[in-house]
Amino acid sequence: MYAKVVVDVNAKRVDKLFDYAVPEQLTDILTVGMRVVVPFGPRKIQGYIIELVDEMHDKPLKSILHIQDMTPELNRELIQLSEWMQQTHIAKRIAVLDIMLPRAVKGKYHKVYRLEEPESISDELYPMFSQNIVRINTLSADDIKALQPYIKDGIVTEDVEVKQQQKVKTVKAVECNVSNLDDALDSLRSDKQKSCLMMIYDEGMLTLKALKEQGYSSAVVNGLVAKNMLKKIDIEDNRDPYRHRDFVQDSKKILRDEQQTAYTAIRQAIDEETHEVFLLHGITGSGKTEVYLQTIADVLDKGQSALMLVPEIALTPQMVERFKARFGDLVAVMHSGLSMGERYDEWRKIRKGEAKVCVGARSSVFAPFDNLGLIIIDEEHEASYKQEDYPRYHARDIALWRGDYHHCPVILGSATPSLESYARAEKGVYRLLTLTKRANQFPVPSVNVVNMRDELAAGNRSMFSEVLASAINDRIQKGEQIVLFLNRRGHAQFLLCRDCGHVPNCPNCDISLTYHKATDELKCHYCGHKEHKPLTCPNCDSEHIREMGIGTQKVEELIYQHFEGAKVIRMDNDTTSRKGAHEQLLEKFKNQEANILLGTQMIAKGLDFPNITLVGVLNADTMLNLPDFRSSERTFQLLTQVSGRAGRADKEGHVIIQTYNPEHYAIQYAKNNDFLGFYREEMSYRKIGKYPPYYYLINLTFSHTDMKEVLLESKHIHQTLLNHLSPSSYVLGPAPCAIARINNQYRFQIIIKFKSEPELLKALTYLDDYYYDQFVKNKFSLSIDINPQMLM
DNA sequence: AGCACGCCGACT
DNA sequence: GTCGGCGTGCTC
């Protein structure tokens, strides 16, 4: 018997299966999906068993050294999925496996010295070994030098210890080891030991901690262990991040007609175990979540599991609470706030079948359920479902694959579906379910678009239009709450010389430097370059060099200047980077500790506070003007999303959108809450521009320090693509990227637009292989983004 | 990737 | 003569 193994080496050259002999003693234990340690050249590394072959190999093989775990980390589905991803996403198998598994199982390598002949070593060096082994990282350079002669003589050998990042947490416990209780009790003298044994006999097993709390000291327990009546064992302990929280049991709510229709349709697919994809298009507050909860309940009743994906940012305590309240301990929650160990424990709860529901962000789409009955992707249109760095994947694609594998329905839910999904629903590929009414029957908020050009003409040069300023004052007086939205991440301010127009740029990248007030420095967000803020213009020496572009931090200052009685909570990358900060700030706002919540996109979701009656969008244009074909869609989604924050309770909500482009269709349709209108108009532009959903896109970005090199290679790439693709496809470019140089690397891109190209993956795989060698030799790098979310 | 091998230059 | 620089090639 031999095994096909993926080795833990992240390199293209070894991105294949290696065959290893299975040693006699492992033949019965070894299963597919297990992690093993194998010799690899002169090294010793971790690997995953992909396949076991029950035949003799024609060549002599090296042998698997040992196994890393008793239960396989991967199941057959994930192995199959990883192969599919490797082929369709042009990614290395090991890189795919790495993102599918919790980081805790990733191999960790330590070089160790092993003392082979303890009697032959000097007395000074002997103490540094414990059990004849010492780790290299605990030794000083001098120690290592002193060991060298012994290594030469074979008294000490070098070895590698392969461990995982994080261990399974265990607690000490004892289990009962007697078959006849009465006989055992008769032989005991101590009453304490007798009652202790009886208790454990009843329970089968108890932790030492629990016994201590019952008044049985370790002396009592150890006495029984010595008599072989109890056996010490280690049991797994779960780090449950929510163990200190109590959740109020929540029960089903009655569904209204639209919800009921949607529920019935999904229910049927669940019962029939068909892989049907539903697009649940429901406006904010229409009760999508209740539909999710009830369909999940049905899946659980059938003895199956359910997976629910939400954007990271929407994974708020309120959301988690709702699931915990309905399904209790059956829920595993996975988000970025968990420690590596907590994440691993949640993962294992799912794998062992203890958790039947998983609520989590993007990477949870790989949750190791083996009997999935339903997959839900909430806020289906969110860009965060696409992993933007290698290996690039879209959670929606993975969910659809898994839905097909498990023969289970997939629900894509959104108030503003992506054009791709809605178009598929129109074509009948997905089944459209619509929720048009707010569950609580509250009126949709009124939306007011303010033309900032008029404000400027009227002499108002501040951030706040007349309408918005008076509305803010009004709400402050009434004691109501306000959400202000500034679509500028962090505080991307730059410097501008008012005399000569000079903007300080990064010396390594073609982008302006960002001003950071906290450190009074100019920073480049792409390469990390930093410099002190100049006092005068580096170009003309003028003193009129000013900060331009307003960030959240600046707006906070302005609010305090303009509005009496304002109390602001600011939420952006700077104030929420600390663990739990996001939650804390929202809690403060909920408790009315502030009347204005000011933030970036992160506040567009998940807040559901009754006292918010005004939502202001300070500048709707920043996103609209990005050079990307999805900018209108993103703007429409965001404005709709933000507007949904107002007037959810008995007070009427009001939304004010400030813009320099009031007539833009994305803003107008958002104002009128008209998804379908927006969809139709945007689709017509996509058709003319040959963009998704009419065409699929591939974005190839390549870079090198020498521009000539980039231009030369880009011709080769372009020609290769033309040779492989049919005439109905378009190969655009090469053209410089929106940021043409990053870290002194010149960047160009080629965009492929196509409808159907059976040979495309082959061509891309060829390019990926070819340019991997080029990268090794020449530092020319190529990255391939299939179905890009952004073209920048 | 990471390790060994190998082939050149500048040191005791 | 040999220590060490990093180019090349291989890993079941």
Side-chain angles (χ1 to χ4, degrees), chain A residues 111-127:
Chain A
K111 206 175 215 186
V112 295
Y113 291 112
R114 182 168 278 130
L115 187 51
E116 303 286 349
E117 299 172 34
E119 63 286 352
S120 309
I121 201 152
S122 74
D123 290 347
E124 292 91 77
L125 293 176
Y126 184 72

Side-chain angles (χ1 to χ4, degrees), chain A residues 725-738:
Chain A
L725 301 183
S726 66
S728 64
S729 298
Y730 298 83
V731 181
L732 308 176
C737 295

Side-chain angles (χ1 to χ4, degrees), chain A residues 145-156:
Chain A
K145 211 173 231 173
L147 283 176
Q148 292 308 314
Y150 294 101
I151 293 169
K152 219 176 215 169
D153 295 343
I155 295 163
V156 172

Side-chain angles (χ1 to χ4, degrees), chain A residues 155-437:
Chain A
I155 295 163
V156 172
T157 52
E158 280 182 304
D159 199 0
V160 176
E161 203 181 62
V162 187
K163 285 194 159 179
Q164 64 181 53
Q165 300 281 333
Q166 186 91 36
K167 274 192 285 193
V168 173
K169 201 175 157 197
T170 57
V171 287
K172 300 265 178 246
V174 283
E175 65 178 6
C176 196
N177 201 27
V178 293
S179 45
N180 190 322
L181 183 65
D182 292 334
D183 288 356
L185 289 175
D186 283 346
S187 70
L188 286 173
R189 298 180 157 209
S190 142
D191 285 344
K192 200 106 200 215
Q193 287 196 348
K194 280 183 188 173
S195 65
C196 179
L197 184 64
M198 268 157 65
M199 198 164 99
I200 296 165
Y201 186 85
D202 285 345
E203 297 284 332
M205 173 209 82
L206 276 170
T207 65
L208 293 184
K209 199 177 156 210
L211 285 167
K212 201 157 260 174
E213 279 163 9
Q214 297 280 323
Y216 298 104
S217 68
S218 54
V220 179
V221 176
N222 286 339
L224 289 165
V225 173
K227 293 192 182 74
N228 218 11
M229 291 175 177
L230 295 181
K231 214 168 108 194
K232 281 201 171 174
I233 50 164
D234 289 328
I235 58 165
E236 286 187 20
D237 183 28
N238 278 338
R239 287 155 279 218
D240 179 359
Y242 297 95
R243 69 183 162 272
H244 299 305
R245 296 265 294 273
D246 287 327
F247 295 98
V248 189
Q249 181 70 34
D250 173 47
S251 54
K252 284 185 185 178
K253 293 184 180 59
I254 293 167
L255 298 176
R256 287 171 304 98
D257 48 353
E258 285 180 335
Q259 286 173 307
Q260 187 64 43
T261 311
Y263 167 79
T264 312
I266 299 162
R267 174 71 201 255
Q268 193 185 349
I270 292 170
D271 288 343
E272 290 169 5
E273 301 191 7
T274 48
H275 171 51
E276 187 164 7
V277 183
F278 296 95
L279 178 62
L280 183 58
H281 177 207
I283 61 163
T284 338
S286 59
K288 289 191 289 291
T289 312
E290 189 58 32
V291 176
Y292 300 153
L293 289 168
Q294 297 204 13
T295 48
I296 291 173
D298 290 338
V299 167
L300 297 186
D301 285 346
K302 278 187 70 196
Q304 292 182 300
S305 309
L307 173 59
M308 159 111 175
L309 299 185
V310 293
E312 177 75 48
I313 206 75
L315 204 53
T316 55
Q318 290 145 295
M319 180 81 189
V320 173
E321 209 151 307
R322 213 158 158 195
F323 272 79
K324 286 271 182 184
R326 193 70 64 95
F327 304 116
D329 289 339
L330 290 177
V331 182
V333 180
M334 300 233 246
H335 56 83
S336 62
L338 299 183
S339 73
M340 202 201 286
E342 287 170 335
R343 190 170 255 274
Y344 187 31
D345 288 350
E346 295 291 290
W347 159 275
R348 278 178 21 259
K349 256 160 65 185
I350 296 168
R351 199 188 59 197
K352 286 186 289 186
E354 288 167 19
K356 298 282 185 192
V357 181
C358 174
V359 182
R362 181 180 59 222
S363 62
S364 312
V365 76
F366 300 108
F369 288 114
D370 45 34
N371 190 10
L372 269 178
L374 177 66
I375 305 173
I376 300 168
I377 302 189
D378 192 28
E379 312 276 6
E380 162 283 328
H381 62 278
E382 271 295 307
S384 67
Y385 284 125
K386 173 81 187 274
Q387 174 148 75
E388 283 296 349
D389 39 50
Y390 184 90
R392 298 167 191 272
Y393 69 94
H394 200 297
R396 197 200 290 136
D397 298 335
I398 312 298
L400 293 177
W401 188 94
R402 294 195 74 182
D404 186 32
Y405 183 94
H406 288 279
H407 307 289
C408 75
V410 175
I411 308 176
L412 308 175
S414 178
T416 51
S418 63
L419 293 209
E420 283 93 331
S421 295
Y422 203 84
R424 283 191 185 171
E426 275 205 320
K427 274 175 75 180
V429 183
Y430 300 163
R431 182 146 156 215
L432 184 67
L433 304 168
T434 321
L435 307 178
T436 54
K437 298 191 199 82

Side-chain angles (χ1 to χ4, degrees), chain A residues 463 485-488 617-623 658-660:
Chain A
M463 272 305 283
F485 181 83
L486 184 68
N487 189 10
R488 192 187 283 279
V617 179
L618 294 175
N619 187 350
D621 304 314
T622 23
M623 190 172 251
Q658 300 190 151
T659 172
Y660 290 93

